[in-house]
Structure formats: C-alpha cells, structure tokens
Amino acid sequence: MTDPVRVAVTGAAGSIGYSLLFRIASGEMLGPDQPLELNLLEIPPQMDALEGVAMELDDCAFPLVQEMNLSDDPAEGFEGANICMLVGGKPRGAGMERKDLVEANGPIFKAQGEAINDNAADDVRVMTVANPCNTNALITMNNAPDVPNERFTAMTRLDLNRSKYQLANKAGVNPGDVSNIAIFGNHSSTMYPDFFDARIDGEPVPEVITDHDWLKNDFIPTIQGRGSAIIDARGASSAASAANAALEHVREWYTETPEDDWVSMAVPSDGSYGIDEDLIFSFPVRCDGNGNYEIVDDLDLNDFSKEKLKATEQELQEERSVVSDLM
Ligand code: NAD
Ligand code: LMR
C-alpha cells in the first residue's frame, strides 16, 4: 500500500477551492492509486462554508481520501503537509492590477511561511496561486528559512494553457499539438509568453504562424490581459481554469517532463537569463518526476524577448520593495 500524501489547500471554501478539491480527491492530481490526506484551511468566518464543502466531499465517497482535517489555524493546517497549495487570499476586481492585492494578501504569506516552516513535512513542496502569486511565494519562502528555497513555486500554468489555446486556435490545430511554451516573469500584465521558442507539431511557431504582427501585437497582450478579460466578462476572476492549472502544476512537478518539451513555473531565480536571484520568476523548467526541477537555461533569446524579460523583472523588483517589511 502506498503511503498517503498529505495535501494542504488554503482558501478551501473559495471559488477555486470548490473547483479544485473534488478533482484532487478523485485522483486527478496525483494519480488513481495515490491515497490522500487533505488539510483544508480557511479563515474563521468561512469555517461553516468549509464544513459544507467537506460534507460534499464526504458525499462523493472518494476511496482515495483517508483523512480530512478542517482548520482556521495555519499551524494545524500545514501539519505534516507534503504539498501545500496556497490558494487563499483576496481576488482582484475590475480595474485592478494583481499587484494592487499585495498589501491585503502579503501578510497572509508571512504567517503561512512561518507555519509551513514549523509544521510541514520534511519533503514539503509549496505552490502559490493567490495573487500577486510570484511575490506571495517570495514572502512565503523568506519566512520559511528551514525549507530549501527551490521548494517554493508560483503558478503560471494558467498562462501556459491560455497560450497553448490561442496559438492552436490561430494555427487551426489541436491545443495538444502545441508544445515548448515558456512563460517568463511575473503572473501579471508584464508576463512574457515566448512564442519564438514554442512549437506546433515540432515546428517553430513563427514558421507555422507567419502573421508575426499577430504574434507580437495580439497574442502577447491577449495572454497578458486574459485574467482581466475574464473578470470583465464574468464579474469574478477565473476559477475553474485556475483550479485546472493548479492541479496540472502539481501533477507535472511530480512527473518527468518529456525531453523535447518543458513546463513553466515561477521558481526562485538562479540568475539564468541574467534575472535577479532574489525573485520568484517564471521560467521554462523540466521536472524529474520526484518533485525536483531544473530551469531550462539555454534558450537563445533575441533582443525582443530580452527586453520583455527586463520589463517583467523590473515589475517584480518593484513588488518586492513594497513588501520588504514582510521578509
Ligand atoms: P475567493 O474569494 O472565491 O476564495 C478565496 C478564499 O480564500 C476565501 O474563501 C477566503 O476566506 C480564503 N482566505 C482568505 N484568507 C485566507 C487565509 N489567510 N487562510 C486561508 N484561507 C484564506 O477567491 P478565488 O477566486 O478562489 O481566488 C483565490 C486567489 O487566487 C485570489 O488571490 C486570486 O486572485 C488568485 N488567482 C490566481 C490565479 C493564478 O493564475 N495564479 C488564477 C486565478 C485566481
Ligand atoms: C487570472 O489570471 O485569471 C488570475 O490571476 C485572476 C486575475 O486576477 O486575473
């Protein structure tokens, strides 16, 4: 019998939580043979709602779920956690940038970093969804000095999926035919979805999609602004697609990435591409199947791409300076 994996999810009574938990519990994240223990974390006013979510999880009778703990105390919520999915936090509304949330959400991650440091399992892996997710991950990492830095990541998988769909739609192919999408930088309107290195059926995207004006002036802003477009249309930020991406982020972190592809995650910079080492920056990465990854550091970026990386790096440096008191 495989040992259970303990997954802690914060914001478990929220919109993303409601799309995420049932898929985790069904085995879609870690596989149909992996038993699970779920730690669901919320804030006190949401504990009744969380009870309701837990009742529904019970009513699914998922065989993989061996234990479920509900808490509004981060120390309890992260106790023994092997995987922490930090979803809890305020979402933005229309007209806001994600970085406008940093003052409201930042302090959450100081407390949660400390609680992860003191209570999580030795092999803990942490992924942050709540915005601004790169900087929240940086705060968490800096408040968990006993946990190796490379265990802290933030989610840009949704941006990867958005890019995949937009490129496939333009080229008239299936999204599954699009590979090698590198999302660089911040999960924000400065993020850089690198289409130069992306491939369609193994061919470079700029050779398949010859409308380069569309790639530069339509595709990039569409991905950068997709979150806002959804808020404007739905009156609330993305939830099901975000949950789907969170699940894929974790699944792929524990899956060996095919040699001819990569995934994108925001991870602590190691200085690749000249990026400031004190940032959580999205890079293309390859995972080894055991919860480890390496940054793909040998893409031959052109001047256009280098300029985009600088802009998103600068935004992350500005976000970092706003929260320096939390680290
Ligand atoms: P939501 O308001 O529906 O739910 C958030 C939940 O978090 C609420 O139930 C709230 O009570 C809970 N929460 C707040 N503070 C908490 C804390 N300290 N501990 C535990 N729980 C806490 O919001 P949502 O739509 O689920 O979005 C959650 C976050 O994810 C937002 O910050 C949103 O901007 C972000 N998001 C990120 C991405 C991404 O691609 N990285 C995508 C979509 C949404
Ligand atoms: C998204 O990209 O959909 C999320 O980050 C939510 C948002 O605020 O845009």
Side-chain angles (χ1 to χ4, degrees):
M1 181 69 178
T2 319
D3 287 339
V5 170
R6 187 173 292 275
V7 182
V9 180
T10 72
S15 307
I16 296 175
Y18 197 68
S19 290
L20 176 64
L21 294 173
F22 298 85
R23 294 184 62 188
I24 294 175
S26 73
E28 273 187 79
M29 187 166 82
L30 297 177
D33 302 318
Q34 178 57 62
L36 300 164
E37 295 166 340
L38 298 179
N39 284 9
L40 308 183
L41 190 60
E42 259 296 344
I43 50 173
Q46 288 301 311
M47 289 307 285
D48 284 347
L50 184 60
E51 288 286 351
V53 174
M55 286 159 68
E56 285 202 70
L57 281 162
D58 286 344
D59 293 350
C60 294
F62 289 120
L64 293 176
V65 179
Q66 297 198 339
E67 193 182 302
M68 194 157 51
N69 304 297
L70 315 188
S71 183
D72 57 14
D73 172 3
E76 262 175 36
F78 296 121
E79 178 67 43
N82 306 106
I83 297 172
C84 300
M85 303 179 76
L86 307 185
V87 179
K90 225 173 141 188
R92 65 174 167 155
M96 291 172 75
E97 286 294 328
R98 297 179 186 90
K99 64 186 165 202
D100 298 334
L101 293 168
V102 77
E103 280 172 30
N105 286 345
I108 296 174
F109 296 90
K110 177 172 169 52
Q112 293 189 350
E114 289 165 357
I116 289 169
N117 190 68
D118 294 346
N119 299 283
D122 287 345
D123 66 350
V124 67
R125 277 14 182 213
V126 183
M127 62 89 64
T128 307
V129 174
N131 281 317
C133 61
N134 298 56
T135 296
N136 290 339
L138 188 71
I139 297 169
T140 314
M141 179 181 91
N142 276 288
N143 285 284
D146 301 336
V147 180
N149 284 357
E150 66 272 14
R151 307 278 188 82
F152 294 88
T153 66
M155 180 171 103
T156 51
R157 176 70 211 207
L158 181 52
D159 310 305
L160 186 158
N161 286 344
R162 287 169 172 166
S163 302
K164 209 174 241 215
Y165 173 78
Q166 294 296 331
L167 293 172
N169 191 45
K170 179 73 177 173
V173 300
N174 187 283
D177 299 332
V178 184
S179 66
N180 301 80
I181 294 170
I183 303 293
F184 281 104
N186 199 3
H187 173 64
S188 76
S189 54
T190 65
M191 92 185 65
Y192 176 49
D194 169 19
F195 61 80
F196 289 104
D197 291 289
R199 293 181 170 259
I200 293 177
D201 279 330
E203 299 300 318
V205 161
E207 288 177 21
V208 180
I209 299 175
T210 52
D211 183 352
H212 292 186
D213 184 55
W214 179 86
L215 286 168
K216 285 185 174 163
N217 300 316
D218 202 331
F219 167 70
I220 294 176
T222 295
I223 304 308
Q224 292 174 331
R226 188 67 164 183
S228 299
I230 288 170
I231 291 169
D232 290 344
R234 230 171 73 82
S237 59
S238 66
S241 57
N244 179 64
L247 186 138
E248 290 184 323
H249 176 112
V250 173
R251 184 170 61 208
E252 288 175 354
W253 197 347
Y254 288 91
T255 304
E256 193 175 345
T257 310
E259 260 177 41
D260 57 355
D261 200 359
W262 51 69
V263 291
S264 289
M265 293 183 189
V267 301
S269 168
D270 64 353
S272 295
Y273 305 103
I275 298 301
D276 184 337
E277 290 192 29
D278 190 19
L279 293 176
I280 301 267
F281 193 92
S282 184
F283 291 102
V285 304
R286 286 204 182 90
C287 304
D288 71 353
N290 297 310
N292 307 305
Y293 58 80
E294 275 188 6
I295 293 174
V296 177
D297 61 1
D298 58 353
L299 300 184
D300 189 14
L301 300 183
N302 58 24
D303 287 346
F304 178 89
S305 298
K306 284 181 188 161
E307 204 177 298
K308 299 286 184 197
L309 261 67
K310 274 281 154 222
T312 193
E313 176 190 36
Q314 192 181 334
E315 184 185 44
L316 280 167
Q317 288 167 328
E318 286 162 11
E319 285 183 23
R320 181 181 64 197
S321 68
V322 173
V323 296
S324 54
D325 57 322
L326 297 173
M327 304 196 278

